[in-house]
């Protein structure tokens, strides 16, 4: 006796389309290619700093203190005679690590809160919604400093602080996407077919929410780099003498008139990397790679 075939779900045009269609023949464009080159250079600096900055970033030479940029020291030296170029190159590792980890933390926390709010009842949605709205309304740096006050200063607390501070933005995005997915034809059909809630969430709700979060996260890495540098500038991030761009900016404040290169080059590094990551993220979204 032939069995009755189980009805199939309608095609999910959002999460199930072919991956090759995401690119649709788009290109990064000149700005995107330049940004990709800058990001690749930063990755090389983070993984193999000796390739770009020959001197050791912690090597102290008191007799060479505060030397202006020149043939021996392209970016000059700081108050201890350390090579600024070597420290800027070595600082890429800390900035990229904090930026990526903080974005992951913010994305994961935001996804969890957004899914809970989107799938929970009215009370749960209201509670999570009010908490995220209050946190979202506060300045990001203030939220990060509150987290630092609880956890204490350091590079790991800085990652967590920036991550938790950016989580409300991701949560609001995910909540809206989850609530939209709940009312879609695919989910309604899955419920009528008796599919388990866990299967519905994993197969039909989460895919609709994760890709937009990834797209926003690529833009958030640049923001995370800036805020992590701000925490180090305030003295609650990566402690000295470790090379970190925000801490280098803080060290150069005293010598702005006599040795401006101490602050100029790490400041340029922050601006260039944050801009490159943002431009690259937008270029990827234009090509359809992150839709």
């Amino acid at each position: 006796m032939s069995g009755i075939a189980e009805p199939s779900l309608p095609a999910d045009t959002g999460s199930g389309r072919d991956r090759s269609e995401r690119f649709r023949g788009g290109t990064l464009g000149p700005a995107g290619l330049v940004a990709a080159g800058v990001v690749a250079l930063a990755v090389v600096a983070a993984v193999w700093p000796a390739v770009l900055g020959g001197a050791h970033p912690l090597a102290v030479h008191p007799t060479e203190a505060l030397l202006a940029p020149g043939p021996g020291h392209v970016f000059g030296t700081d108050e201890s005679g350390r090579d600024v170029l070597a420290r800027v190159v070595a600082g890429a590792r800390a900035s990229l690590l904090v930026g990526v980890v903080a974005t992951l933390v913010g994305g994961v926390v935001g996804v969890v809160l957004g899914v809970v709010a989107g799938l929970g009842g009215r009370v749960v949605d209201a509670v999570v919604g009010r908490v995220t709205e209050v946190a979202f309304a506060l300045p990001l740096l203030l939220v990060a400093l509150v987290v630092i006050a609880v956890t204490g200063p350091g590079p790991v607390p800085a990652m967590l602080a920036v991550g938790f501070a950016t989580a409300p933005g991701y949560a609001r995005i995910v909540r809206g996407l989850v609530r939209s997915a709940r009312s879609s034809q695919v989910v309604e059909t899955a419920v009528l077919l008796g599919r388990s809630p866990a299967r519905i969430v994993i197969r039909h709700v989460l895919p609709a929410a994760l890709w937009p979060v990834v797209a926003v996260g690529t833009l958030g890495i640049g923001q995370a780099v800036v805020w992590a540098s701000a925490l180090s500038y305030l003295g609650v991030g990566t402690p000295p003498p470790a090379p970190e761009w925000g801490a280098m900016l803080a060290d150069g404040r005293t010598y702005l008139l006599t040795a401006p290169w101490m602050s100029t080059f790490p400041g340029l590094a922050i601006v260039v990397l944050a801009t490159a990551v943002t431009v690259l993220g937008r270029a990827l979204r234009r090509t359809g790679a992150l839709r």
Side-chain angles (χ1 to χ4, degrees):
M1 182 175 63
S2 62
I4 300 177
E6 182 182 4
S8 59
L9 293 176
D12 186 352
T13 58
S15 60
R17 64 181 175 179
D18 187 72
R19 289 291 299 275
S20 62
E21 294 181 3
R22 292 185 181 275
F23 294 90
R24 291 196 296 272
T27 60
L28 293 178
L33 291 175
V34 172
V38 172
V39 173
L41 190 65
V43 172
V44 172
V47 179
W48 301 289
V51 175
L52 300 178
H56 194 283
L58 299 180
V60 175
H61 303 284
T63 58
E64 300 180 355
L66 302 179
L67 291 179
H73 301 280
V74 180
F75 285 3
T77 61
D78 63 9
E79 76 281 7
S80 299
R82 295 172 297 196
D83 188 79
V84 175
L85 172 60
R87 291 180 62 78
V88 169
V89 171
R93 176 179 300 175
S95 296
L96 274 178
L97 181 62
V98 172
V100 172
V101 173
T103 302
L104 289 176
V105 171
V108 170
V109 175
V111 167
V112 172
L113 291 176
V115 170
V116 170
L119 296 179
R122 291 184 178 179
V123 176
V124 175
D125 185 23
V127 171
V128 176
R130 297 298 84 76
V131 171
T132 55
E133 285 177 5
V134 170
F136 191 77
L138 296 174
L140 188 147
L141 185 59
L142 178 61
V143 177
L145 289 174
V146 170
V147 176
I148 288 288
V150 175
T151 60
V156 174
M159 298 177 193
L160 297 177
V162 176
F164 287 134
T166 56
Y170 296 109
R172 294 182 65 180
I173 296 173
V174 173
R175 174 189 174 275
L177 293 170
V178 169
R179 294 186 70 85
S180 176
R182 282 183 60 180
S183 59
S184 67
Q185 181 183 2
V186 177
V187 173
E188 290 178 354
T189 304
V191 172
L192 293 176
L193 292 175
R195 303 288 170 80
S196 65
R199 184 178 179 183
I200 294 174
V201 170
I202 293 174
R203 293 197 60 182
H204 306 294
V205 176
L206 283 181
L210 289 182
W211 268 111
V213 170
V214 172
V216 174
T218 58
L219 304 178
I221 293 176
Q223 182 189 37
V225 169
V226 173
W227 288 117
S229 298
L231 292 177
S232 295
Y233 180 84
L234 296 175
V236 294
T238 303
E244 201 280 336
W245 295 338
M248 293 174 66
L249 275 174
D251 292 339
R253 287 178 298 180
T254 309
Y255 305 95
L256 281 176
L257 295 179
T258 57
W261 54 86
M262 286 181 57
S263 297
T264 300
F265 292 111
L268 285 175
I270 296 172
V271 173
V272 170
L273 179 59
T275 303
V277 173
T278 303
V279 171
L280 180 59
R282 290 178 176 175
L284 290 173
R285 293 186 69 181
R286 285 198 304 270
T287 64
L290 293 177
R291 292 181 183 179

